[in-house]
Structure formats: structure tokens, C-alpha cells
Amino acid sequence: MTTTPDVVPTGNRADEIQIYDLHKNFGDLAVLKGISTVVRRGEVVCVIGPSGSGKSTLLRCVNLLEEPTSGRIFILNEEITDPDADVDFIRTQMGMVFQQFNLFPHLTVLENCTIGQTQVKKIPRSVAEENARANLAKVGLADRTASYPAQLSGGQQQRVAIARALSMDVEMILFDEPTSALDPELVGDVLGVMRDLADEGMTMMVVTHEMAFAREVADRVIFMDGGVIVEEGHPDQVIGSPREERTRTFLQRVLDPTHASPAPQAGGGDRSQPPAAG
Amino acid sequence: MSSTATVAPRVTRAKISPRKRARRIRLVQYAVLIALVVLMIATVDGRQVQSVFFRPDLIVLTLQGVPHALFNTLAYTLGAFVVGLVLGTILALMRLSQVAPYRWLASIYIEFFRGVPALIVLLSFGLLSVAFPGLRFPFDPYGTVWAALGMVSAAYMAETIRAGIQAVPKGQVEAARSLGMPAGMATRKIVLPQAFRIITPPLTNELILLTKDSSLVYVLGLTTAAFELTKFGRELSNSNVNLTPLVVAGFCYLIITLPLTFLVRRMEARQQKAR
């Protein structure tokens, strides 16, 4: 069931994200203990697992917001972990959507979606704005281009964040718990946009607690615990009939929190955003 | 823990209610204030005071030269502020740098120029062209003042700017970097604009302090054309053996500083609301 190929790297550009034996320590704490997986073009991979299992750290290593302790990561066949790699260029092909949105508060919605294009990719302003408007329309916010992030609801802000990533014309998007900071009634809008993206064939790696979304949209689910991949496969299998005891325990807690077994500290439901690892 | 710790202290009811007491204290304060005012009116010879501080003919004379002196005060202040802002930003970035020697250098600079009186720095800069023959600041004496006062205020501003940069959430840099921005661009386009927005009130306070510090340039040997408010007022006071010109000059500082303090208060109120 493992998706790790024998040849490193595969040399196939369609293997967009290739991760080999990734380790990450924070001081003495080993957060990732040898993660290997490949995300293919158009694939939607949902990473689930309890808090502190290392899933957010894994995602942040993929675009090098966290420096891996060891291991190799290839993006579109280019090694981002290579000390000589042009990390900034590789990042322009890969969007990231954060739990806390991280929109630029001093810029309007439109400027949030154009600044990367004009500053990094040197695209003329008029073209960039046209591009940004198209993507804002796609997430249903065509009429809010002149607003500032503080004037928007959390769900609207997160959709702007998705439009910002799309405006860079990326090959893939990483989602780091995109709905965890939202009021429950706003989650649906964001998940709807993500579902549309998946249908259009966007490559997506999504760290999430939304089991229904994972089950419905994901092509593959990775269950992580204690810094390793415990189980991965089709969502119907991993979520529907998990093989591993740890997966079963976790899903029981998440899907039916009121009947959770003891050890409430590992509950996966709501959480007040831990710093980096998650 | 002994059991005596749990015994509640005996509460005795005050003889007069706290509210009554507060009112009595306030009444006493008003009484003292009124007494002071009455005493002043009774003892002070208004005519005498006017002849020392507010002689009408000297007020008119002084006002004629005020625009030029006011311009010079503004020129010294704004120039020094710009130097301080640029240098302060560089120092703040050095303090936050990964490179340890940068941090050390910036710390030494900041501690030195915060600890030394501005007057001494200004005096030293005035003699710099003697110590280093051939060294001349452009737009002398403006250049000398801009450099000296600017370098002192940079030390103060650096700490303010550093605090502003640190107040910008880390996620902002992460979002910028994930768009492919190099670190320098993320700092310039994302972090600094937000940092300066946060620290506009304290920076405006720095501008007010600098306006008053510009009076220190009197220690430099200046030509009449380069006189700012204080120096101008002093010269006129000395030649007329009367304080009126200096008092007029002093009021002129309020023309600059009062609108600024008003501005700071409004900005702070707006920031409070935005929070």
C-alpha cells in the first residue's frame, strides 16, 4: 500500500511533490520521523491525525517554511531541499493557504492578489489585476476587490487567501487546516471553493480535521500519528474501514467526540491553535 | 499553612461613607487652588511682569524675524528626522539580523547615542571639520545638524522601529515567502509598511522631541541666516536686555508641537478603536 517509489526522484514531472525519508526535529523533539510519499498531478491528498502528530510540520516542510532536519523533497522534479535550489522560484509554483489566513492587512483584497504577481513574477499591473479579478470571481468575491481584509468575515478572508494563491498561477496548493479558525457556519463556503478546485484538477495537499470533506473529495488520505504515516490509502478504506488500531481510535474520537475513550488531551475536534507543530 | 491564615480580618464600617470622603477631599483641593489664584492676583504686579516677559514693542520686533527662524527650526528638525528614520530603520534591521556582528554593532551604536547628551554630540560634530581637515558636510550648517541630531534620534527610533517590526505577526512573513518573495522584498513590501503603521504615534512623539532638541544648535557658531527660533530669540533678548523675544520664540514652538500632539492623540484613539 505504500506509495514510495524505488527510484529517487522518479523523474516524472507528474509526480509533483516527492518526499523521501523526511525527518524534522525541534530541539530534542522529533516531530517527523521518516515520512515518504508522492503526490501526483491532480491528486487531492488529505492529511489527518491528532494534534502534535506532525501533519502541519510536514506541510510546512514541503515549501520549506520549516527547514527539514534530513530527507529530500522534490517539487516538479526540482529538489527544494538542495542547498543550491532557487527556493523562491519553486515557491511561486506552489500556493499555501494558512489556518489564520495571513492576508496582508495593509493591502486591499485586489492588491493581496496582485502583489505576488507584480513584485515576484514581474507581471504588468493591468494583466495582474485582470488575473486577480478572475480568481476572486471564482471564489465568489468579485464585488469585494476594494475592501480591506479586516472588513471581511473569516470565511471571506480565507477565500481571498485561496484566490491569492491561485493568482500566482500555481501548479499545486498546500492547505494548512484552512477551516480550523472559522466559525462553523462559514466552513461550508471555504470547503465549497476547495471542492471546485479539486474538480478542476488542482493538485492539493490538505491538512484538515474535516472528515466528511476528506472522505468525499480526497483521492488519498494519509493518517499520521507520532511523526510517522500510520496508514494511507483511499478515503473509503482509511476512514471507512481503517486497518490500524491507532487510526480507529483517532476516528472514533473525531467522529463521535461525546463517546470518546479516555485521554481527552489528544482530542482532534476543536483546538486553540498550537504554535508550529500540529 | 497555619489555620490562622484562614481567619477573615475584622471589617469595621467607616465613620463616613467613601463617596462622602472623596467629595470632601476634592473640595479641599478646589479651595487650595482658588487660594493660590487669589494670592497670585494680589501679589503679582502685572505691569512689572509684562515689562519683563511681554513688552509689546519687542513682541512686534521679534515677530518680524520669526518666519525665517521658524523655517530654520523646521529645516533642522525635518532633516534630522529623515536621517534618524533611515538610519534607525537600518539599525533596527541590524538588531534583528541573524548575523551576530550586525546585532552587536547596532547595540553598541544605540547604547552609545542614547547615553550621550545630544549637546555633546552636536558640539563634537561642529568640530569635526577641524579634527578631519577637508571634511565638510553638505548644506553647512544644515548638514552638520542633520547628521548630529539625526544620529542621536536614530538610536531612539531604532528601538521603536524594532518593536514595530516585532509586532507584525510571523504569519505575514510566511505568507509573503510562500508567494515566492525573497526575504528582503518581504521585509520591504509586507513587514515595514505594517510596522510603520503601528509605530506612527511614537514616531510622531520623536518628531516633537526633535523639534525642541533643534534648539541645541545654538552651541554651534552660526551665521544670522542660520538662526533657529531659540538662538534668534536669545540674540534679540541679549541685545535688548529683555526676555520678551525668547518668550515669543518659545510660543512659536507650540505652533509646531501642538498640532503634532493633537495628531498623535487622534491616531492613538483610532488605533485603539481598530483593535
Side-chain angles (χ1 to χ4, degrees), chain A residues 28-48:
Chain A
D28 291 336
L29 183 70
V31 177
L32 298 178
K33 305 172 192 166
I35 302 282
S36 299
T37 192
V38 172
V39 179
R40 300 197 174 78
R41 177 176 300 152
E43 200 179 14
V44 177
V45 174
C46 283
V47 185
I48 62 172

Side-chain angles (χ1 to χ4, degrees), chain A residues 69-83:
Chain A
T69 306
S70 69
R72 306 174 79 188
I73 299 170
F74 296 81
I75 306 297
L76 299 165
N77 264 337
E78 220 175 317
E79 183 173 2
I80 196 169
T81 42
D82 181 343

